[in-house]
Amino acid sequence: MAEESSKQLETMSLQEKPADAPAPAAAAPTADAPAGGEKKLSKNQLKKLAKGKGKKDKKDKPKWNQPGEGKKKKDDAKSKALTLPKPEFVNTTPKGHKKDLSATPMADAYHPQAVEAAWQDWWEECGFYSCDPKTAEGKSEDEKFVMVIPPPNVTGSLHLGHALTAAVEDTLTRWHRMLGHSTLYVPGTDHAGIATQSVVEKMLMKETKQTRHDLGREEFIKKVWEWKGEYGNRITTQLRRLGSSVDWSRERFTMDEMCSKAVIEAFNRFHEDGLLYRAERLGNWSCALKSAISDIEVDYIELEGRTFLEVKTHKGNANDPKGRYEFGVLTSFAYPIEDSDEKLIVATTRLETMLGDTAVAIHPEDARYTHLHGKHVVHPFNGRKIPIVCDAELVDMAFGTGAVKITPAHDPNDYECGKRHKLEFITVLTPEGAINNNGSQFEGMMRYDARIAVEEALKEKGLYIGKEPNKMRLGLCSRSGDILEPMITPQWYVNCNGMAKKATDAVRNGELKIVPEEHEKTWFQWLDNIRDWCVSRQLWWGHQIPAWFATKKGEEGVSKLDMNNNDRWIVARNEEEAYTKAEKVLGCSRDEIDLERDEDVLDTWFSSGLFPFSVMGWPEQTDDLKAFYPTSLLETGLDILFFWVARMVMMGLQLTDTLPFHTVYLHAMVRDKEGRKMSKSLGNVIDPLEVISGCTLEHLLSKLDGGNLPPKEVARAKKDQAEDFPEGIPECGSDALRFGLLAYTVQGRDVNLDMKRVVGYRLFCNKLWNATKFALQFVSDFQPTANILDELMSSGKMALRDKFMISRLMACCDTVNTCFQNYKFGDAQAASYAYWMNDLCDVYLELIKPVIKDTSEENKDSRWAAQATLWIALEAGLRILHPMMPFVTEELWQRLPGRGTLGESETESIMLAQFPLCNEAYSNPGSEQSMETTMNVIKACRSLRQQYNIANKVSTHFFVKVASGQPEDSIKSQIDDIKTLGRASVVDVNIDEDTIPKSVGIIVVDETTTVLMDIKGLVNYAAEIKKLQKQLTKNANPLGQLEKKIAAPGYEENVSDDIKAKNLENLNGLKKKAADIEEAIANFKALEELEKN
C-alpha cells in the first residue's frame, strides 16, 4: 500500500497537476480551443520546443483542469472517479458514540457517507454545541458569539440557498468556538401560516374530501399539529446532514409555548404604547385564501398584451375552448353625463371594478373638460350619480382620453384619490371574489365572469367603446397562485414610523453595521418611506390575535366591522384580563358581558421579528436572555432585508430598548447557472441532500416534468441536465457542498450556481484524503508533543524548506482569520485551498520525500525537522479547514499520530481545538522568497523535460545562470530540492560558459535567471520532427478552409463585423500555430546537425 501511494505522488508534476477538482472561484477561466476543430498544442510544444533561446516562463500558480496535452484523459478519469459505484457502507458506531478509527483502516479513497457517519451524533451527545449561560454572562461582547438561524418554513425542505446560509453561519460559529468564545447558534423553524394551512388543506381535501370549514377551527388546528409532528422534521434532518453545529437543546418553533408567550406580550405592549390600532385600509387580498397577505407573498407576472389565463377559483369561461379568462387588455366605455347627451369616455384593465366607481377624475387644466367641472356622470347599471373631480396628481392629460374612472375600494391610486376628495368607498367583491350586493344585476357572479357580463351589458346600452392590448403586471399569491385583488378590509395595523427612525438612526450612527455596506441604501430607502404594517391575516393557523370584541348581553346593532366601535375591541394577555378591561370599558359587571375573540391570526413575520429574543425566553428575564441577548450577528439572504431583518431591528429596539444584533451580513442570492431564481415552478431547485447523497438523472428530470415550464423550456432544461449529469449527481458529501458554496461568496449580488463546479469540490475532498493518507506514512514513527511548534522553531534543525512551510502556514492563518473577521468567505476558502494544494501537497510533500526516506544517523535531525513540520502543517491545516469542512477534518485529525498523548491541553474533538493564529515571529519572508526563486527554476527544469519528452526514469543535467546575491544563494542552498523535483542528476550554478555544452534546451525564467538542460543523446530528433510534421499537416486543413472562406466573393459585404473579427482572430491563431510548429521543426533539425558535428 505504501509503495502504491509513493508511486502515486512521485508522478505528480508542478506543470501537470492531478485533474481532480475545479480551480478556486477566483481562478482565471481555462482557455478555449482554437477554431477549426484542432486541439491546441501545449505552450511548451508550440513556443519553446527545441528553441535555441526560450521565452520568459510565466509565473503560473498550479491549477487543476488546465488546458493542454492529456487533459481529456484526466477529465475522463475525473468522470470515472465520480461515477464509480460507492462501496457498501454500514455504520456500526452506536448512536452518540465516538467513531472507533483504530478498528477501521483508512480507506484507499474518500467516501463521504463513511467519513460523515457518526460524527454529528457524537458532537451532539457530547454537548459540544451547547453553551453555559453562567459562563457566557460574565464575558465581554468580543468574547461571545451568538446567532439565531433564520427560521425556515416548517412546510418545506431546504434548497441550496438555505445550504449557503447554513455553510456561512456554521463556518462562523465553528470558527468562534475554536477561538475560545462562548458560542451559541440557536435553531428553529417558522410556523409559516399561509404555507402550512395551504398544505394541510390540500392534504385534507385529497384524503377526506373535506374543507377546513367542514372540520371546524379546533379540529383543523389539531390536524395541522399532527402534520407538523409527522412531517416537520425534514429541515432538522437536512441541517444535521449539513453539519450545522446548532444547539438542538434550544431548538424553537414560532408556535411553541415560549414563542407564543412573547407574541402575546409584544402585541399587548404595542397596543399599550399606542402603536397598534384597527382600521379599514386597502391591501392585497387573496380570494382563494380569503385573507390579506403581505407584499413578500406576492409574485408578479408581466403580460405583454392580450393573454388568456386559467383561474382556478372560477368554473371557466364558456367563450374560451380551455375555459380561460382574458387579461392584458384596456377596455374603453362611456359614462353618460347627467342632464346632457354628452358622454365621458374612460378606460380600465379591470372592467368589473366599474361597479364600484365613485368618481371620474379629470385634470383641472384640461381645456376639453372645463365645462364639466362640478358636474356628474350617471352609473349605467344602478343610476348612481358619480361626481367629476379635478385631480392634477392622478390624471395625465396626454394619456388616453384624459379622464380616469375612480374605484377607491379596489385600486391603490384610486384609494389615495378617494381620500383626497372624500369619496365614497364601495366594495363590490365578497371575500371569495364574487360580486356582492353592490353589484346590481351582476351580484353572485365570480369577478371575471362578471367582467364578461359587464362588457356585454355595456354593449347593449351602447356605452361600450372597444378594447386594445395593454402591457400590464399581474400580482399573484405566491401560496395559492390566485390573482390578487386590492380590497378594503378591517385589519390590525402597527404604526412603524418611530421604530423605523430608530432603525435608520442605528445604521447612520454606526451602532448597527450592514455588510456589504452597499445595502445600507436599500435599508434607508425602505425605512425612511415606511408604511404602517398590516399584521392580521384571515387564517386559522397561526397566533390568534389576543383581542376580544366586547358587548353587553342582549345588546343589538353593535357590529365589530364598524370602525366606530373600535373602542369595544379589548386587547389583553388572556381572556381573564380581557374581562377585567371590558368591565371598565362597558361600565358593567363580568356576568353582563359577552366576549368574542378575533378569529384572525397574526402575520408570520410578527413572530419571526421577535425571534432573536423570544428564543431566549423574553419577556421573562431568563438566564439565556441575560447571557445571550443581544446576539452578535444576523446572517441571511438580502431578499428579506426589509421583511424580516428590519422588523427584528424595529421590534427589538421598541420592546427591549436594545439592538437585537450589532451586525447584519447579507449573502448573495443563489440562482441557477443561467441566472434564474431557484423555483419549484422552474424545476431548478436542488435539495442539498441530492448533492450530499447523490441522485439519479431520472430523479432530476422528473422534477422538471413536475414544474410549470413551457414544453420547449422543459426540453432544453432536460438536455442541460443530461449533459451536466449524464449519470445523475454523484455523491459529494456535506463538506464538498459547503466548501463549494463558500467559493461562490466572492461574487457580487447574485450567485449563478453551476452545480458541476460544486460537485468538483468532492474531488478536493478526495485530494485532501489521499494527500493526508500518504503524508501519514511519513510521520508513522513520529511522536509529537504539546509544544511541538515552539520546539521545532527553536531546534536549529530546520532546513529552508521547513521554514518555508511554517511561514506559509502562518500566512494562511493570518489570511483566513482576517477573511472570517470581514465575512470574506470565498477568499478564506481560496486561501485554505491554495495552502493545501500548492504549499503543502505540490511543494513541501514533494521536497521531503528523499529526506524522510533517508533514515541514516547523519540525516536524523533533518528527518525529525521534516516530520515535525509536516505534522504541524497537517494538523494546523485541518484546523484551518474545519469550520468550512467539519466532517472530513474531524476524521483526518483524529487519525493523526499522537492523538491522546498531548497532555491536558489536548481537546477531544477538532471542533474544540484552538483555531490556528499567526505568530509573526514564525513568519519567514526570506524563506518564501528563496523558495519562490527555487520553484521558478524547478518549473523551468520540468518544462524543459516536457518539451523534449524526457522519460521520468531518465535524470538530466541542468545548468543555472542566476544573478549573484539572494537568487544565487537561494539556488545553491536548495540544490537537493531542485534535484528532487526537477529530476536532475546534476545541477550546476553559474559555472564557466565554456563548460556548458552547445546542444542544450534553454528557458529564460526572468531577467536574473536562465535554466539550460543538456539534451545530447536524449532526444530522437527524427521522431520528434515526424510528430510535428503530422501536426503541421492537420493544421493546414482548417487554415486553408478559413483562408478560402475569407477570400470568397461577397465576404466583405455580407458578413457581419463580429464574425469577420472572430474569423480574423482564428486565422491569425492558426497561422501562428503553423509558424510555431515550423520554427520547432527547424530548431530540431539544427540541433540534430549540431549533435552530429
Side-chain angles (χ1 to χ4, degrees):
M1 189 66 67
E3 184 179 333
E4 290 175 1
S5 298
S6 178
K7 287 179 180 178
Q8 177 189 359
L9 258 75
E10 282 176 359
T11 59
M12 289 168 60
S13 161
L14 291 172
Q15 295 293 328
E16 295 180 318
K17 297 293 175 269
D20 53 357
T30 57
D32 294 330
E38 179 61 31
K39 187 174 180 180
K40 185 185 287 185
L41 289 174
S42 70
K43 178 173 68 175
N44 294 329
Q45 286 175 308
L46 282 177
K47 294 185 178 179
K48 303 175 187 173
L49 189 59
K51 291 185 178 181
K53 290 185 179 180
K55 296 185 178 179
K56 289 186 180 180
D57 194 21
K58 290 185 179 178
K59 179 182 175 184
D60 290 327
K61 291 183 178 179
K63 299 187 182 78
W64 291 337
N65 290 355
Q66 294 303 293
E69 295 299 310
K71 182 176 183 297
K72 185 178 185 303
K73 289 183 179 179
K74 293 176 184 177
D75 286 344
D76 290 344
K78 281 173 56 181
S79 178
K80 184 178 180 183
L82 281 172
T83 55
L84 283 174
K86 62 182 179 182
E88 190 69 29
F89 171 74
V90 178
N91 181 17
T92 58
T93 304
K95 187 176 178 65
H97 287 225
K98 184 177 181 179
K99 193 187 295 187
D100 184 6
L101 297 179
S102 64
T104 310
M106 196 168 176
D108 290 339
Y110 168 73
H111 299 294
Q113 184 185 12
V115 169
E116 295 176 6
W119 290 122
Q120 181 71 253
D121 291 337
W122 178 62
W123 290 331
E124 286 185 41
E125 182 66 26
C126 290
F128 294 156
Y129 297 165
S130 65
C131 187
D132 181 7
K134 296 297 184 184
T135 303
E137 189 174 352
K139 291 195 173 183
S140 67
E141 187 178 290
D142 292 339
E143 297 174 302
K144 286 194 290 189
F145 181 75
V146 183
M147 180 170 54
V148 297
I149 196 170
N153 287 354
V154 71
T155 53
S157 61
L158 305 182
H159 54 64
L160 287 181
H162 296 113
L164 175 60
T165 299
V168 168
E169 291 179 358
D170 193 54
T171 293
L172 284 169
T173 301
R174 289 178 180 271
W175 175 60
H176 278 282
R177 189 181 289 119
M178 293 176 76
L179 288 174
H181 299 162
S182 289
T183 303
L184 181 64
Y185 182 20
V186 182
T189 48
D190 193 286
H191 66 276
I194 292 175
T196 305
Q197 180 164 312
S198 297
V199 167
V200 177
E201 282 193 272
K202 288 176 183 176
M203 181 189 72
L204 195 63
M205 180 56 66
K206 183 178 180 181
E207 294 179 357
T208 68
K209 305 299 181 185
Q210 290 179 301
T211 68
R212 62 184 165 107
H213 298 283
D214 294 330
L215 279 185
R217 183 169 189 146
E218 187 175 342
E219 287 302 312
F220 178 75
I221 295 302
K222 284 182 182 178
K223 285 288 184 185
V224 180
W225 278 108
E226 288 173 9
W227 180 91
K228 193 263 179 188
E230 188 172 352
Y231 299 104
N233 63 350
R234 283 178 294 184
I235 288 169
T236 58
T237 299
Q238 289 175 306
L239 287 173
R240 283 182 164 96
R241 290 292 302 277
L242 283 165
S244 293
S245 58
V246 295
D247 184 354
W248 291 106
S249 69
R250 287 180 167 92
E251 182 183 3
R252 299 262 62 89
F253 176 54
T254 53
M255 283 277 286
D256 67 22
E257 185 178 350
M258 182 184 288
C259 291
S260 295
K261 185 176 182 179
V263 166
I264 291 172
E265 183 65 24
F267 192 88
N268 275 266
R269 290 198 188 184
F270 282 148
H271 188 260
E272 290 162 3
D273 292 341
L275 300 176
L276 182 78
Y277 62 95
R278 187 171 170 83
E280 278 190 320
R281 289 189 179 176
L282 193 74
N284 299 312
W285 184 265
S286 168
C287 297
L289 298 174
K290 295 186 273 296
S291 174
I293 67 169
S294 67
D295 291 339
I296 199 172
E297 291 154 342
V298 180
D299 291 334
Y300 291 96
I301 58 172
E302 302 291 338
L303 304 183
E304 292 300 314
R306 190 179 189 222
T307 307
F308 284 85
L309 300 173
E310 180 185 2
V311 180
K312 293 180 180 178
T313 56
H314 286 42
K315 291 182 179 180
N317 178 7
N319 299 325
D320 181 75
K322 297 182 179 179
R324 300 167 302 173
Y325 291 85
E326 184 182 45
F327 297 88
V329 293
L330 190 66
T331 302
S332 299
F333 68 94
Y335 269 125
I337 296 173
E338 184 185 24
D339 299 328
S340 170
D341 294 333
E342 192 177 354
K343 295 182 177 66
L344 191 57
I345 298 173
V346 294
T348 179
T349 58
R350 298 159 62 221
L351 185 59
E352 68 282 3
T353 64
M354 64 85 65
L355 299 172
D357 283 357
T358 58
V360 174
I362 56 176
H363 197 283
E365 297 175 7
D366 193 335
R368 293 172 296 177
Y369 302 127
T370 304
H371 66 290
L372 297 180
H373 289 194
K375 301 277 183 144
H376 293 77
V377 297
V378 180
H379 199 286
F381 301 126
N382 55 31
R384 188 172 65 246
K385 290 172 59 178
I386 298 175
I388 298 171
V389 299
C390 295
D391 195 306
E393 189 172 334
L394 178 65
V395 180
D396 178 0
M397 288 187 287
F399 183 78
T401 64
V404 180
K405 63 182 283 297
I406 306 298
T407 320
H410 291 285
D411 182 89
N413 294 323
D414 294 1
Y415 177 79
E416 296 300 328
C417 178
K419 288 198 297 183
R420 285 194 297 273
H421 297 279
K422 296 182 172 53
L423 300 175
E424 186 179 3
F425 287 68
I426 299 177
T427 298
V428 297
L429 294 177
T430 66
E432 295 79 13
I435 302 300
N436 64 16
N437 57 8
N438 291 320
S440 303
Q441 69 261 38
F442 308 101
E443 181 180 355
M445 293 183 183
M446 295 303 287
R447 52 187 163 154
Y448 300 125
D449 292 322
R451 178 178 295 181
I452 297 169
V454 169
E455 181 179 316
E456 292 303 315
L458 286 171
K459 288 177 180 177
E460 290 174 8
K461 291 179 177 292
L463 298 175
Y464 176 79
I465 304 300
K467 57 187 173 185
E468 59 187 31
N470 182 71
K471 284 187 178 183
M472 63 180 295
R473 189 167 78 148
L474 210 55
L476 306 180
C477 174
S478 64
R479 303 302 181 187
S480 66
D482 184 41
I483 299 169
L484 295 172
E485 284 290 338
M487 288 263 280
I488 291 180
T489 54
Q491 305 289 347
W492 290 93
Y493 290 88
V494 174
N495 184 331
C496 297
N497 293 333
M499 291 188 285
K501 186 177 186 308
K502 290 180 184 178
T504 54
D505 288 346
V507 174
R508 288 187 169 107
N509 64 28
E511 291 178 58
L512 178 62
K513 184 179 180 183
I514 297 178
V515 181
E517 198 176 87
E518 66 199 60
H519 298 302
E520 287 185 5
K521 182 179 179 182
T522 306
W523 182 264
F524 297 136
Q525 183 179 348
W526 278 337
L527 291 177
D528 287 341
N529 299 283
I530 198 166
R531 294 181 179 181
D532 288 358
W533 175 16
C534 174
V535 296
S536 48
R537 297 290 180 269
Q538 288 62 56
L539 305 171
W540 285 359
W541 173 246
H543 294 281
Q544 190 171 357
I545 289 174
W548 290 259
F549 191 74
T551 56
K552 293 180 181 180
K553 288 183 177 178
E555 188 176 20
E556 295 182 359
V558 182
S559 172
K560 63 183 179 181
L561 299 178
D562 188 344
M563 295 300 104
N564 293 319
N565 295 325
N566 273 353
D567 61 330
R568 296 292 190 99
W569 281 102
I570 309 298
V571 174
R573 289 165 178 81
N574 51 55
E575 191 175 83
E576 186 64 32
E577 184 180 305
Y579 270 113
T580 301
K581 290 184 176 181
E583 288 175 340
K584 294 179 181 178
V585 171
L586 298 180
C588 58
S589 62
R590 174 172 177 162
D591 58 0
E592 298 177 78
I593 297 172
D594 281 333
L595 288 182
E596 181 185 357
R597 188 168 181 177
D598 195 333
E599 291 188 348
D600 292 351
V601 300
L602 285 166
D603 179 10
T604 298
W605 295 105
F606 192 94
S607 53
S608 299
L610 305 173
F611 204 68
F613 45 98
S614 67
V615 300
M616 306 299 180
W618 183 91
E620 304 299 326
Q621 288 300 306
T622 63
D623 289 343
D624 275 7
L625 190 69
K626 294 173 186 174
F628 303 123
Y629 186 79
T631 66
S632 309
L633 173 75
L634 191 284
E635 193 283 337
T636 189
L638 60 90
D639 57 325
I640 53 175
L641 175 62
F642 174 71
F643 296 103
W644 185 45
V645 181
R647 284 169 178 161
M648 280 188 288
V649 172
M650 290 192 296
M651 297 174 89
L653 287 170
Q654 180 65 31
L655 297 169
T656 71
D657 200 29
T658 306
L659 279 168
F661 30 77
H662 58 69
T663 303
V664 176
Y665 172 71
L666 301 167
H667 66 247
M669 292 300 298
V670 178
R671 299 182 180 274
D672 68 13
K673 67 179 182 179
E674 295 179 0
R676 299 177 302 177
K677 182 179 179 181
M678 289 200 169
S679 162
K680 288 181 182 178
S681 64
L682 293 178
N684 61 357
V685 171
I686 294 179
D687 184 332
L689 298 188
E690 292 171 346
V691 183
I692 293 173
S693 301
C695 67
T696 64
L697 175 62
E698 289 72 24
H699 173 80
L700 294 172
L701 298 182
S702 68
K703 288 179 18 176
L704 290 169
D705 287 328
N708 295 330
L709 283 175
K712 285 186 178 179
E713 290 294 312
V714 170
R716 191 184 77 160
K718 284 187 173 183
K719 181 182 178 184
D720 289 344
Q721 293 277 36
E723 289 177 355
D724 287 349
F725 304 109
E727 306 296 329
I729 298 177
E731 179 194 25
C732 295
S734 174
D735 291 318
L737 175 59
R738 289 168 58 128
F739 203 61
L741 289 172
L742 290 172
Y744 273 92
T745 59
V746 299
Q747 297 187 14
R749 195 175 182 90
D750 289 337
V751 170
N752 289 357
L753 185 67
D754 184 352
M755 271 306 304
K756 289 178 72 176
R757 282 196 52 204
V758 174
V759 168
Y761 282 102
R762 153 74 168 79
L763 294 155
F764 173 66
C765 292
N766 197 60
K767 173 68 177 178
L768 190 67
W769 182 271
N770 289 339
T772 303
K773 183 182 181 184
F774 176 74
L776 288 177
Q777 298 173 79
F778 286 178
V779 291
S780 59
D781 59 348
F782 175 73
Q783 177 57 52
T785 64
N787 300 310
I788 186 63
L789 177 57
D790 295 334
E791 292 173 12
L792 172 67
M793 298 305 295
S794 61
S795 68
K797 299 175 182 179
M798 297 174 73
L800 188 143
R801 58 181 165 264
D802 305 322
K803 295 175 183 176
F804 159 80
M805 189 66 247
I806 297 299
S807 186
R808 293 307 302 148
L809 171 60
M810 293 301 111
C812 184
C813 293
D814 183 54
T815 299
V816 173
N817 275 292
T818 300
C819 288
F820 283 163
Q821 286 168 5
N822 294 288
Y823 309 105
K824 296 184 179 297
F825 302 100
D827 293 343
Q829 188 263 13
S832 54
Y833 178 99
Y835 168 81
W836 274 90
M837 289 305 302
N838 300 349
D839 302 328
L840 183 51
C841 293
D842 291 345
V843 178
Y844 191 70
L845 265 177
E846 293 272 2
L847 290 176
I848 62 172
K849 285 179 184 177
V851 181
I852 301 297
K853 288 179 181 178
D854 184 356
T855 56
S856 66
E857 186 65 25
E858 295 80 7
N859 191 51
K860 181 179 179 181
D861 287 348
S862 295
R863 189 173 186 271
W864 177 87
Q867 287 182 310
T869 302
L870 178 58
W871 189 93
I872 291 164
L874 289 172
E875 196 273 344
L878 290 171
R879 282 187 283 139
I880 288 170
L881 281 176
H882 177 74
M884 297 176 277
M885 307 175 76
F887 294 104
V888 69
T889 51
E890 181 76 89
E891 179 103 359
L892 294 175
W893 188 83
Q894 295 285 356
R895 289 186 180 275
L896 292 178
R899 280 282 78 84
T901 67
L902 302 180
E904 294 181 0
S905 62
E906 183 180 4
T907 58
E908 194 174 359
S909 166
I910 189 174
M911 70 179 293
L912 303 179
Q914 170 70 44
F915 194 84
L917 302 174
C918 175
N919 185 334
E920 288 292 341
Y922 296 162
S923 295
N924 192 324
S927 69
E928 295 190 43
Q929 184 180 2
S930 180
M931 184 61 74
E932 182 179 1
T933 302
T934 301
M935 292 308 299
N936 286 338
V937 170
I938 290 170
K939 288 179 188 178
C941 295
R942 294 253 172 144
S943 294
L944 284 166
R945 291 178 59 86
Q946 185 182 26
Q947 288 172 29
Y948 294 98
N949 297 322
I950 307 300
N952 285 338
K953 62 183 179 181
V954 177
S955 297
T956 46
H957 188 165
F958 290 100
F959 306 89
V960 181
K961 298 179 182 180
V962 62
S964 59
Q966 181 271 326
E968 182 178 17
D969 294 341
S970 297
I971 300 303
K972 287 184 174 179
S973 67
Q974 291 189 265
I975 292 290
D976 289 343
D977 293 336
I978 296 172
K979 290 170 71 174
T980 297
L981 295 187
R983 299 187 186 277
S985 55
V986 180
V987 177
D988 287 320
V989 181
N990 287 345
I991 64 171
D992 194 321
E993 286 277 354
D994 295 338
T995 62
I996 299 175
K998 293 183 179 180
S999 56
V1000 291
I1002 302 174
I1003 283 184
V1004 178
V1005 177
D1006 54 36
E1007 62 274 8
T1008 66
T1009 310
T1010 301
V1011 177
L1012 306 90
M1013 181 178 73
D1014 186 356
I1015 60 173
K1016 186 173 182 180
L1018 299 179
V1019 179
N1020 184 335
Y1021 296 110
E1024 295 301 323
I1025 291 170
K1026 186 175 180 180
K1027 287 180 190 176
L1028 289 170
Q1029 286 174 334
K1030 185 177 179 181
Q1031 293 283 1
L1032 190 62
T1033 301
K1034 288 178 70 176
N1035 187 66
N1037 185 43
L1039 176 59
Q1041 287 182 348
L1042 192 53
E1043 286 178 328
K1044 185 177 180 181
K1045 181 190 293 185
I1046 292 173
Y1051 176 84
E1052 286 297 327
E1053 296 81 11
N1054 300 324
V1055 176
S1056 70
D1057 291 340
D1058 287 345
I1059 293 177
K1060 282 193 284 189
K1062 187 66 177 175
N1063 285 342
L1064 183 60
E1065 181 183 347
N1066 291 339
L1067 180 66
N1068 291 335
L1070 290 168
K1071 285 182 176 179
K1072 176 72 167 56
K1073 183 176 178 180
D1076 286 342
I1077 295 173
E1078 288 169 349
E1079 183 182 356
I1081 291 172
N1083 284 328
F1084 266 133
K1085 288 180 178 179
L1087 286 169
E1088 185 177 27
E1089 286 301 314
L1090 187 64
E1091 194 163 308
K1092 285 179 182 178
N1093 297 330

